[in-house]
């Protein structure tokens, strides 16, 4: 059986890391695409040359021609610009919206059956626009953010509790911005919900609140340290987890920016929710019970995304 084909649209910091991880995991043959001629080809050749050492059986190529992504099973989109210190993700909207138009058209023309994972920021609005521009079915187009935000939350919690990250679960929902919603009631250490761990005296509410805030600021913390761009190792690992769930029909329950139609009182809208990802793409949106405070935080986050979607419609009339 032929190996799956994975197209990486954007070959910058995340794109290159995605290619390396996908190769190491032997998820399939990889095509790196970018408009910056030489970059996708150079990264593809460099990773291919690591193949004999890493013992990787995967074809690796770089291109500036959308025709070369033909028949891709998965497309992961990082094309666009990243923020620098002093900027918010939302500042990227105007420039990255134009990029989503060309990417959406390229995928529609050459890889219409692909499972598409958008990473480009501001994430929730960009995945919404990418689905519209591409015209692909909504359950085959989703955005990566919740896996990353939950991974950051898990990392900080494992440090606080001094336990293995493997024993920490977390759910961060809502939009991938300052209003994201780390759900402490649904996050656990060894199956014990975080509020119970506070009651047990293992941590304090103040420390937990600080970890929640650090999670919300997780992207900005890395931007402030790097100064030249934003995070790429953890974002790439997170998207690869989603791609693997699709390619191997793992039916993973992962938070992602999915098209929500009916659940959570939403009507055809992209925002971070728990989903099941398998061979059918986003096979299910899982509607969890939220208490009054959680629902208020989630609604606030939805409203922030709605504002960004409205801005997209204003910039590009074809989206209205
Ligand atoms: N969803 C999430 O959780 C996260 C999202 N991001 C976002 O991911 C995006 C990519 O980040 P990086 O890889 O660090 O940026 P980068 O600047 O290293 O790479 C972006 C690449 O896109 C290419 N590009 C620009 N316009 C293009 C077009 N029209 N078609 C094809 N390629 C094009 C550039 O030449 C560049 O190589 C940014 O928007 C960033 O904000 C970053 C981290 C996490
Ligand atoms: O903060 C940024 O600009 C990149 C991003 O979305 C993240 O790392 O969460």
């Amino acid at each position: 059986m032929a190996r799956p084909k994975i197209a990486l649209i954007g070959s910058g910091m995340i794109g290159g890391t995605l290619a390396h991880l996908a190769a190491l995991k032997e998820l399939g043959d990889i095509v790196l695409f970018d408009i910056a001629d030489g970059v996708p080809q150079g990264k593809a050749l460099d990773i291919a040359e690591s193949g004999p050492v890493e013992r990787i059986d995967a074809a690796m190529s770089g291109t500036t021609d959308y025709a070369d992504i033909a028949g891709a099973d998965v497309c992961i989109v990082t094309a666009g610009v990243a923020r620098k210190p002093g900027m918010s993700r939302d500042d990227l909207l105007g420039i990255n919206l134009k990029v989503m138009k060309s990417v959406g058209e390229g995928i529609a023309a050459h890889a219409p059956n692909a499972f598409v994972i958008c990473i480009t920021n501001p994430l929730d609005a960009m995945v919404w626009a990418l689905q519209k521009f591409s015209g692909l079915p909504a359950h085959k187009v989703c955005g990566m953010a919740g896996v990353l935000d939950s991974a950051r939350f898990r990392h900080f919690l494992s440090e606080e509790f001094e336990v293995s990250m493997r024993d920490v679960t977390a759910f961060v929902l809502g939009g991938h911005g300052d209003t994201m919603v780390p759900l402490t009631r649904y996050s656990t250490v060894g199956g014990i919900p975080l509020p119970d761990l506070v009651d047990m005296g293992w941590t304090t509410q103040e420390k937990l609140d600080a970890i929640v805030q650090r999670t919300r600021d997780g992207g900005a913390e890395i931007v402030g340290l790097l100064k030249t761009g934003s995070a790429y190792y953890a974002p790439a690992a997170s998207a690869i987890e989603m791609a693997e769930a699709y390619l191997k029909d793992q039916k993973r329950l992962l938070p992602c920016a999915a098209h929500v139609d009916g659940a959570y009182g939403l009507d055809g809208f992209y925002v971070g929710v728990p989903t099941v990802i398998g061979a059918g793409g986003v096979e299910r949106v899982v509607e969890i019970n939220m208490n009054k405070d959680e629902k208020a935080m989630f609604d606030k986050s939805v409203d922030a995304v709605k504002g960004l979607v409205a801005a997209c419609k204003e910039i590009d009339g074809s989206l209205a």
Side-chain angles (χ1 to χ4, degrees):
M1 199 200 291
R3 289 190 285 254
K5 180 167 173 176
I6 300 164
L8 305 174
I9 314 297
S11 305
M13 300 309 289
I14 304 178
T17 311
L18 285 167
H20 196 203
L21 284 177
L24 290 173
K25 287 175 175 269
E26 289 192 325
L27 290 186
D29 292 339
I30 296 154
V31 180
L32 283 142
F33 175 95
D34 205 289
I35 50 166
D37 193 27
V39 172
Q41 297 91 335
K43 291 196 178 184
L45 181 58
D46 189 13
I47 295 169
E49 288 169 354
S50 76
V53 183
E54 301 283 5
R55 302 174 194 209
I56 299 165
D57 283 316
M60 183 76 64
S61 59
T63 185
T64 55
D65 183 354
Y66 269 111
D68 293 327
I69 73 162
D73 299 287
V74 170
C75 292
I76 308 182
V77 178
T78 61
V81 294
R83 66 170 157 161
K84 300 221 166 55
M87 296 172 78
S88 83
R89 296 180 181 94
D90 301 351
D91 294 336
L92 307 171
L93 186 136
I95 183 158
N96 284 349
L97 183 64
K98 290 197 191 80
V99 175
M100 290 307 100
K101 186 171 168 60
S102 64
V103 172
E105 288 166 358
I107 292 175
H110 299 283
N113 297 318
F115 179 55
V116 179
I117 302 169
C118 180
I119 301 184
T120 302
N121 272 322
L123 188 270
D124 306 85
M126 291 303 102
V127 65
W128 172 84
L130 184 62
Q131 191 273 328
K132 293 265 181 232
F133 286 133
S134 69
L136 265 61
H139 66 281
K140 296 291 283 294
V141 181
C142 65
M144 187 292 294
V147 175
L148 170 66
D149 298 326
S150 303
R152 286 181 173 146
F153 196 21
R154 288 168 65 193
H155 169 65
F156 301 145
L157 290 168
S158 78
E159 282 192 330
E160 165 61 15
F161 290 102
E162 296 183 358
V163 296
S164 164
M165 292 183 220
R166 278 181 289 184
D167 297 323
V168 182
T169 67
F171 257 129
V172 181
L173 306 184
H176 183 57
D178 300 340
T179 59
M180 71 177 74
V181 188
L183 285 176
T184 53
R185 267 191 333 129
Y186 286 99
S187 303
T188 70
V189 174
I192 308 166
L194 298 182
D196 291 6
L197 292 159
V198 173
D199 290 345
M200 288 158 59
W202 200 347
T203 188
T204 62
Q205 189 60 48
E206 290 68 35
K207 282 186 180 165
L208 190 52
D209 290 346
I211 289 173
V212 164
Q213 193 53 44
R214 191 175 177 196
T215 302
R216 288 203 180 101
D217 297 337
E221 185 175 358
I222 306 268
V223 170
L225 290 166
L226 293 180
K227 297 181 183 69
T228 51
S230 50
Y232 47 100
Y233 292 115
S238 303
I240 288 292
E241 187 172 50
M242 293 167 65
E244 191 170 14
Y246 172 75
L247 289 168
K248 298 184 179 170
D249 192 23
Q250 289 172 332
K251 317 249 182 247
R252 296 287 312 278
L253 207 161
L254 299 171
C256 78
H259 186 258
V260 188
D261 200 3
Y264 296 99
L266 295 173
D267 175 16
F269 192 71
Y270 271 94
V271 72
V273 288
T275 63
V276 175
I277 298 180
V282 175
E283 296 183 350
R284 175 189 282 260
V285 166
V286 181
E287 187 168 17
I288 56 171
N289 285 326
M290 290 190 199
N291 63 28
K292 216 169 124 239
D293 291 346
E294 291 160 349
K295 186 77 173 61
M297 284 192 288
F298 185 77
D299 288 347
K300 188 176 166 207
S301 195
V302 167
D303 282 346
V305 178
K306 279 187 179 160
L308 296 176
V309 166
C312 291
K313 288 180 181 172
E314 237 170 69
I315 293 170
D316 188 324
S318 74
L319 292 167

